[in-house]
């Protein structure tokens, strides 16, 4: 809670909120219309549009914040891909940033028994590079696979996030 309050305070002072999205193909806008990736239609880009309205246009003038979204995404990778260059993506960042991590489909289709594969090293690298920034993990539920395996994966992820102080948004919690 302290990280979020601090980030909000710094964002209001700066007049903008920086969101840095680390993700796989879904973050890059792939999978929406077949073979071609469309970054302009990625969920992260659409998030910026929603935040622009809710934090900007519809906000009380004294509390308006302009969102800025940087998408760092690559298809067909696991989270550990970004661990060697994490600091470069966050270098020079201020305390008005939120880090969003999205690798659900990549983690679910690896065939590994541990769907957290490579995620913990990335979270540790992000914490080292930006210890003041809240980290949010967005998990889109993959329709392939057994329900028991999908549920076990989510439980495993939630255990990791509790340990590493990461907030989570699970896709099934957004649809009722």
């Amino acid at each position: 809670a302290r990280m979020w309050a601090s980030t909000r305070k710094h964002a209001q002072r700066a007049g903008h909120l920086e969101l840095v999205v680390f993700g796989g193909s879904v973050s890059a806008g792939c999978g929406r219309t077949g073979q071609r990736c469309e970054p302009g239609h990625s969920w992260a880009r659409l998030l910026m549009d929603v935040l622009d309205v809710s934090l900007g246009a519809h906000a009380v003038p004294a509390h308006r914040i302009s969102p800025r979204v940087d998408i760092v995404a690559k298809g067909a990778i696991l989270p550990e891909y970004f661990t060697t260059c994490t600091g470069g993506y966050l270098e020079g960042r201020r305390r008005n940033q939120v880090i969003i991590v999205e690798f659900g489909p990549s983690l679910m289709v690896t065939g590994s028994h541990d769907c957290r594969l490579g995620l913990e090293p990335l979270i540790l690298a992000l914490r080292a590079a930006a210890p003041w920034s809240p980290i949010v993990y967005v998990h889109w539920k993959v329709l392939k696979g057994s329900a028991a395996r999908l549920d076990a994966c989510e439980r495993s992820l939630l255990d990791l996030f509790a340990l590493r102080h990461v907030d989570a948004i699970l896709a099934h919690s957004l649809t009722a």
Side-chain angles (χ1 to χ4, degrees):
R2 284 180 46 195
M3 275 189 213
W4 284 103
S6 175
T7 299
R8 179 183 175 143
K9 181 178 75 174
H10 287 285
Q12 286 176 328
R13 246 190 249 146
H16 67 274
L17 174 66
E18 294 185 23
L19 293 106
V20 184
V21 178
F22 287 87
S25 57
V26 175
S27 293
C30 303
R32 185 177 165 271
T33 59
Q35 299 295 327
R36 206 174 85 187
C37 297
E38 298 181 47
H41 294 288
S42 72
W43 70 268
R45 172 69 175 105
L46 298 174
L47 172 66
M48 188 178 87
D49 292 342
V50 169
L51 290 176
D52 197 30
V53 170
S54 61
L55 296 177
H58 290 356
V60 176
H63 297 288
R64 286 191 179 144
I65 300 171
S66 173
R68 298 179 185 171
V69 178
D70 287 333
I71 303 171
V72 182
K74 183 169 176 57
I77 60 163
L78 290 174
E80 62 197 350
Y81 175 84
F82 293 113
T83 58
T84 59
C85 53
T86 308
Y89 292 112
L90 300 174
E91 188 175 0
R93 299 286 177 178
R94 305 279 186 253
R95 293 178 182 255
N96 58 328
Q97 76 176 354
V98 173
I99 298 169
I100 301 174
V101 178
E102 178 278 317
F103 285 98
S106 297
L107 296 175
M108 298 298 293
V109 299
T110 62
S112 170
H113 294 293
D114 186 4
C115 68
R116 305 178 334 175
L117 191 66
L119 190 55
E120 188 167 22
L122 176 61
I123 290 169
L124 292 173
L126 292 169
R127 278 276 177 248
W132 55 85
S133 296
I135 299 174
V136 178
Y137 182 81
V138 176
H139 187 76
W140 306 114
K141 199 158 199 157
V142 176
L143 299 177
K144 297 177 185 174
S146 73
R149 181 174 181 273
L150 297 175
D151 290 342
C153 174
E154 286 189 359
R155 282 192 305 277
S156 176
L157 290 171
L158 291 174
D159 290 344
L160 171 65
F161 301 150
L163 178 68
R164 299 294 175 199
H165 307 286
V166 173
D167 292 309
I169 300 173
L170 304 178
H172 69 80
S173 66
L174 300 176
T175 58

